[in-house]
Amino acid sequence: LTKNGMPRVYISDPRGKQYRKRNDDDLNAAAEDVRSGMSLRKAAENHNLHYSTLQRWVKANGKSKKTELNICDKKGVVVERFKDNMPGVEFAVSFLKRHAKSITPRICQNIKRTRAAVSPEQINNYFNYLEKSIVGVVQKAAENHNLHYSTLQRWVKANGKRKKIGGQTVLDEEMENMIVERLVKCAEWGYPMDTMDLRMIVKHICDKKGVVVKRFKDNMPGVEFALSFLKRHAKSITPRICQNIKRARAAVSPEQINNYFNYLEKSIEGVPPSNIINYDETNLSDDPGRSKVIAKKGMKYPERIMNSTKSSTSIMFAVSGDGYVLPTYVVYKSTYLYGPWRNGAPKGTRFNCSKSGWFDTKCFEDWVFTVAIPYLKKLDGPKVLIGDNLSSHLSCDAIKMCDDIGAKFVFLPANSTHLTQPLDVAFFRPLKQAWRTILKEWKKGPGRKEPSVPKSIFPTLLDKLITALEPNRISNIKSGFEKCGIIPLNRNKVLSMIPSANTPESSIEDSFVIEDSVLNILKELRYETPPNTRTKRTRLNVEPGRSVGISSSESDNGEDEERVDNPDVVLLDIDAPDIINVDEMNTDTPDNNDPDEINSNKTDSNVQTIPVTIAPNVKYVQINNTIKTVQNVYDVDILDINVGDWLLVQYHSDMYVCKVSKVGVIEFEGQFLRKKPSIRKDSGFMLFVYPQVSDEYEFMYDQVIGKLDPPIIKRGIHKFNILPPYAISKTEIC
């Protein structure tokens, strides 16, 4: 009920329980109408306001309680819900929420007072400058290129470098591009790197820069990183199966190629392509090779029953620059030729035989007389035969015969046929592929029970091979001559396949880091592996039926038997007593914890007590139960052995002279000399020379007999002032 006792009527609001949104401007305008004499109700209706709302606004004189700042203590107002008139945290959070459009809580950083002293005038001047110089330019550029202003502004601020969407790489794009350039350069120089080398390079770069990548274990990238790296740079690098070439082939230099083309340019000047012949022999093996087959999933070793051997048949091929293939020339491994070995061969094929099955000088001369010259006689103008410099291809009779018909021989540079010979570059590979296919089909069919390809069947298979090459014959041959820079003459075709020494330009600091990383990998590839030292081979005097152990300390039954391995050496020092018991000196019980003492106390089981008269600067050495004497040999301490000293070293059952090349703690390395055969035993000197193959060997200190005086060297012969060692009998030393 209302105050007058009338029932209260509620009018439903179509907006539900939402409060009507008011505007301060509407309230101020309605308040001005009230002050000018209009009633509150009429002013509220005119401005679409509620009567009570307008009434409270006029009463508050245009100041809403919602926006009024309650500064309690200053105004003397006591708020009961505040403890000691101190608002709580909820009040602060509510206050920030009410004014979220103007203020917001942020984490600040501390600055010095000098930075805080910047005046507002300076800030205004700076922003005015930006608005005039940058903002205007960015806006205009965005309009010209149909871009949004904020997009272009962020791009300019980032200097054209923005992070990619998704996960970020460990190294930036510039660094990865430099690594790619180095990988390509290593591959060009014959030292291609695999994914493990790539991971090691990245690890070295991170360690060098002090970067710790948490997702790498010990800063070592995983296999997934290498695969992702290759995927990102798929346009520049790709994993490939490489083939090994000898160092002699890799040593072909641009100077050799340029000299070859300088002479070739004069030799083929004015010669038509049909008159330029390239010849070379190859072999067709009896093995069809491995191929993919369908097998059970998880089967480790699928096998195919098919006979194959390592035998092969040599064939000489010759092609001209216009794509013509001369008749083939077959060489069998046999002493005689038989009629069935020629049946079914291609037209014009010639046959021969040799004991080895390879081309020798007689076979090459016969090919020149029966195949090359008959073809060259049909051609007009100068002719050129290009081939490798194999010794069997150098025949004076063949060169003279070709010279009579106006044909010249041009030999390729040594070890360069993989670059300069058209047959090797573009013809032999499709030839071998087609041969393996034909051989596999024959072994599956008629030849499945044959142990190898019979010589009577080989001509038929050869005819199928020549037919299979016919569709692409001309294009393959021409592309081979073009790739080798012969037709047309272009030396850059070959030089482009030889690595250059140009270094790609890059950032100096990053380049140093990458060069250092790649250099470490190359050093490990070339230098870290110790060279294989060739050990001396001695013949063992083993009785028939007796076994041999791995060292001289092993024995079958512990009995007194003659050793067959390294004999022990007993050095009789000049400071020793006149009567020396060799058995007692070597049979003392060694210390089990001292390996050096154990090695030095090895003893022969068949030793006798021998009285010895000691001479100055004389060494007595026991070898195989025989005491030998050597004069002018001096004692040397282990600490007095230096690089360059000459020593007399015992090895197996003889003594050798060596020059020390490396000094270790207890191990040494030296270059050993050999005795010169012609020696005058009564001259008082011994002559030694270095062997043709350097003989370097490691030895221990207990193998050193003594130190020698420096020799007299003349014409490579080393003359030492020592007498030849001779054996001492019991009667001589008693």
Side-chain angles (χ1 to χ4, degrees):
L1 300 176
T2 61
K3 294 181 180 180
N4 299 329
M6 299 296 294
R8 187 180 295 274
V9 179
Y10 293 93
I11 302 175
S12 60
D13 191 347
R15 295 175 299 176
K17 294 183 179 180
Q18 294 182 359
Y19 293 99
R20 183 183 301 174
K21 294 183 179 180
R22 61 178 178 83
N23 192 348
D24 292 349
D25 296 337
D26 296 337
L27 289 171
N28 291 328
E32 288 295 333
D33 293 341
V34 172
R35 294 188 187 97
S36 62
M38 188 180 294
S39 63
L40 285 172
R41 292 188 179 276
K42 191 171 183 179
E45 292 177 359
N46 292 340
H47 292 278
N48 195 21
L49 296 173
H50 196 274
Y51 167 76
S52 60
T53 302
L54 181 59
Q55 186 181 26
R56 287 193 301 270
W57 185 264
V58 173
K59 186 177 180 181
N61 196 15
K63 296 181 180 179
S64 176
K65 291 182 179 180
K66 186 177 181 180
T67 59
E68 185 177 358
L69 296 176
N70 297 320
I71 306 175
C72 302
D73 294 339
K74 190 173 182 180
K75 291 189 174 184
V77 178
V78 178
V79 183
E80 295 180 355
R81 63 179 181 271
F82 292 166
K83 185 177 180 181
D84 297 333
N85 246 13
M86 178 65 183
V89 179
E90 295 80 3
F91 172 81
V93 174
S94 177
F95 184 88
L96 293 174
K97 188 175 181 181
R98 290 194 298 269
H99 302 280
K101 293 183 179 180
S102 303
I103 55 176
T104 180
R106 295 290 298 275
I107 298 175
C108 67
Q109 60 179 351
N110 301 326
I111 63 173
K112 297 181 179 180
R113 290 186 178 273
T114 54
R115 291 192 177 185
V118 180
S119 62
E121 291 78 14
Q122 292 176 325
I123 299 297
N124 292 331
N125 294 335
Y126 171 73
F127 277 106
N128 292 334
Y129 170 77
L130 288 180
E131 290 178 359
K132 293 180 181 179
S133 59
I134 299 178
V135 177
V137 175
V138 172
Q139 288 179 346
K140 189 174 182 180
E143 293 176 358
N144 294 338
H145 295 276
N146 195 19
L147 297 173
H148 196 274
Y149 166 75
S150 60
T151 302
L152 182 58
Q153 188 180 28
R154 289 193 299 271
W155 184 263
V156 173
K157 186 177 180 180
N159 196 17
K161 297 179 180 179
R162 290 192 302 174
K163 293 183 179 180
K164 296 181 179 179
I165 300 175
Q168 303 301 315
T169 57
V170 176
L171 306 176
D172 56 13
E173 185 177 358
E174 183 179 0
M175 181 74 75
E176 288 196 351
N177 290 334
M178 284 190 287
I179 293 176
V180 170
E181 292 175 354
R182 269 58 179 189
L183 292 176
V184 173
K185 185 63 64 176
C186 291
E188 290 178 355
W189 280 92
Y191 292 96
M193 298 189 179
D194 53 14
T195 54
M196 185 63 188
D197 299 327
L198 172 61
R199 293 162 58 193
M200 292 296 296
I201 291 175
V202 175
K203 172 179 169 56
H204 188 272
I205 293 174
C206 295
D207 294 342
K208 195 84 172 177
K209 287 195 166 188
V211 179
V212 178
V213 184
K214 294 183 179 180
R215 59 179 179 267
F216 292 167
K217 185 178 181 180
D218 298 332
N219 245 16
M220 179 68 177
V223 180
E224 295 79 6
F225 171 85
L227 298 178
S228 178
F229 186 92
L230 294 175
K231 187 176 181 180
R232 288 195 298 272
H233 301 278
K235 294 183 179 180
S236 303
I237 55 177
T238 181
R240 295 285 299 276
I241 297 176
C242 66
Q243 60 179 353
N244 301 325
I245 64 172
K246 296 182 179 180
R247 290 186 176 273
R249 289 199 170 193
V252 178
S253 63
E255 291 76 13
Q256 295 176 332
I257 299 300
N258 284 323
N259 292 335
Y260 158 70
F261 274 97
N262 291 337
Y263 291 109
L264 181 65
E265 185 177 1
K266 299 177 182 178
S267 301
I268 65 174
E269 185 178 1
V271 180
S274 59
N275 292 12
I276 300 177
I277 308 299
N278 176 225
Y279 62 91
D280 191 22
E281 71 268 14
T282 186
N283 64 83
L284 299 179
S285 65
D286 186 43
D287 188 3
R290 302 172 61 183
S291 60
K292 291 185 177 181
V293 295
I294 300 175
K296 181 182 178 181
K297 188 174 183 180
M299 187 177 183
K300 291 185 177 180
Y301 306 105
E303 296 178 345
R304 177 178 59 188
I305 300 176
M306 183 176 291
N307 294 329
S308 63
T309 63
K310 295 183 179 180
S311 63
S312 59
T313 305
S314 299
I315 300 180
M316 176 71 80
F317 282 93
V319 295
S320 62
D322 58 352
Y324 180 75
V325 179
L326 275 68
T328 54
Y329 190 92
V330 181
V331 176
Y332 291 125
K333 183 180 179 180
S334 177
T335 306
Y336 305 100
L337 283 175
Y338 297 91
W341 295 358
R342 303 175 298 167
N343 298 338
K347 184 178 179 180
T349 302
R350 304 287 298 182
F351 295 88
N352 205 338
C353 63
S354 65
K355 292 183 179 181
S356 62
W358 297 98
F359 270 78
D360 52 18
T361 304
K362 292 183 178 180
C363 293
F364 179 73
E365 290 179 352
D366 186 69
W367 172 81
V368 173
F369 297 151
T370 58
V371 177
I373 291 180
Y375 173 78
L376 295 175
K377 285 183 178 180
K378 301 177 183 178
L379 304 177
D380 298 331
K383 302 100 176 173
V384 174
L385 288 169
I386 301 176
D388 54 21
N389 57 356
L390 191 64
S391 58
S392 61
H393 294 173
L394 301 176
S395 172
C396 295
D397 295 338
I399 294 175
K400 183 178 179 180
M401 182 68 70
C402 292
D403 187 62
D404 294 339
I405 61 173
K408 297 180 293 185
F409 275 90
V410 175
F411 296 104
L412 302 173
N415 303 307
S416 68
T417 55
H418 63 294
L419 301 173
T420 56
Q421 182 148 262
L423 286 172
D424 283 347
V425 171
F427 188 76
F428 282 157
R429 177 165 182 172
L431 173 78
K432 298 294 181 68
Q433 290 176 345
W435 170 252
R436 283 192 288 266
T437 302
I438 294 172
L439 183 63
K440 183 172 64 176
E441 292 177 355
W442 178 80
K443 286 181 176 291
K444 284 183 177 180
R448 59 181 175 272
K449 294 184 179 180
E450 295 287 347
S452 62
V453 178
K455 293 182 176 62
S456 58
I457 301 297
F458 180 81
T460 306
L461 301 180
L462 179 62
D463 183 62
K464 293 182 179 180
L465 175 62
I466 299 299
T467 304
L469 295 176
E470 191 63 27
N472 299 322
R473 170 180 57 87
I474 298 177
S475 61
N476 288 341
I477 295 174
K478 288 186 176 181
S479 63
F481 277 91
E482 181 181 0
K483 186 66 176 178
C484 295
I486 300 176
I487 301 174
L489 190 64
N490 185 6
R491 67 181 67 194
N492 292 327
K493 290 285 187 178
V494 181
L495 293 175
S496 62
M497 293 185 284
I498 300 177
S500 62
N502 297 329
T503 303
E505 299 180 359
S506 56
S507 174
I508 297 178
E509 180 180 359
D510 294 338
S511 178
F512 285 161
V513 176
I514 296 178
E515 295 290 355
D516 193 14
S517 305
V518 176
L519 185 61
N520 287 343
I521 299 297
L522 293 178
K523 283 182 178 179
E524 292 179 2
L525 290 175
R526 297 194 61 169
Y527 305 118
E528 288 299 324
T529 304
N532 296 327
T533 57
R534 193 178 65 174
T535 59
K536 296 182 180 180
R537 185 180 63 177
T538 56
R539 183 177 179 179
L540 302 180
N541 298 323
V542 185
E543 298 179 0
R546 182 182 177 182
S547 62
V548 181
I550 60 174
S551 65
S552 60
S553 61
E554 295 185 357
S555 180
D556 296 336
N557 49 16
E559 298 179 356
D560 295 337
E561 297 178 354
E562 183 181 359
R563 296 178 184 270
V564 295
D565 284 331
N566 295 351
D568 297 322
V569 179
V570 180
L571 299 184
L572 307 185
D573 192 55
I574 61 174
D575 296 331
D578 293 341
I579 303 298
I580 300 177
N581 191 327
V582 181
D583 194 4
E584 294 177 358
M585 184 180 68
N586 291 283
T587 55
D588 294 339
T589 303
D591 186 4
N592 294 331
N593 298 326
D594 190 357
D596 295 335
E597 187 173 352
I598 294 175
N599 294 333
S600 63
N601 286 292
K602 293 179 182 178
T603 179
D604 199 325
S605 60
N606 190 12
V607 187
Q608 299 178 359
T609 302
I610 304 175
V612 182
T613 303
I614 307 299
N617 296 336
V618 175
K619 285 289 183 181
Y620 296 91
V621 183
Q622 180 177 348
I623 300 178
N624 291 338
N625 295 328
T626 303
I627 296 180
K628 295 185 178 181
T629 179
V630 183
Q631 297 184 7
N632 296 329
V633 180
Y634 307 94
D635 291 331
V636 59
D637 189 75
I638 189 172
L639 300 177
D640 296 335
I641 300 178
N642 301 316
V643 176
D645 291 347
W646 293 93
L647 301 178
L648 186 64
V649 180
Q650 188 273 342
Y651 183 78
H652 285 215
S653 37
D654 204 350
M655 293 174 286
Y656 298 90
V657 174
C658 77
K659 184 177 181 181
V660 180
S661 59
K662 185 178 179 181
V663 177
V665 180
I666 59 174
E667 297 180 351
F668 303 90
E669 185 175 333
Q671 290 182 317
F672 285 79
L673 279 67
R674 293 289 182 269
K675 295 178 185 178
K676 199 172 185 306
S678 58
I679 299 177
R680 292 181 57 187
K681 296 184 179 180
D682 57 346
S683 63
F685 295 92
M686 292 187 66
L687 305 181
F688 293 84
V689 294
Y690 281 110
Q692 294 182 355
V693 179
S694 179
D695 187 7
E696 296 185 2
Y697 184 71
E698 294 182 355
F699 56 92
M700 305 293 292
Y701 175 69
D702 56 3
Q703 296 178 256
V704 177
I705 300 175
K707 186 176 181 180
L708 304 176
D709 293 327
I712 301 174
I713 304 175
K714 185 177 181 181
R715 296 181 180 178
I717 300 176
H718 297 68
K719 188 176 182 181
F720 288 90
N721 185 21
I722 55 177
L723 293 175
Y726 59 92
I728 304 176
S729 63
K730 293 183 180 180
T731 58
E732 290 177 333
I733 62 178
C734 289

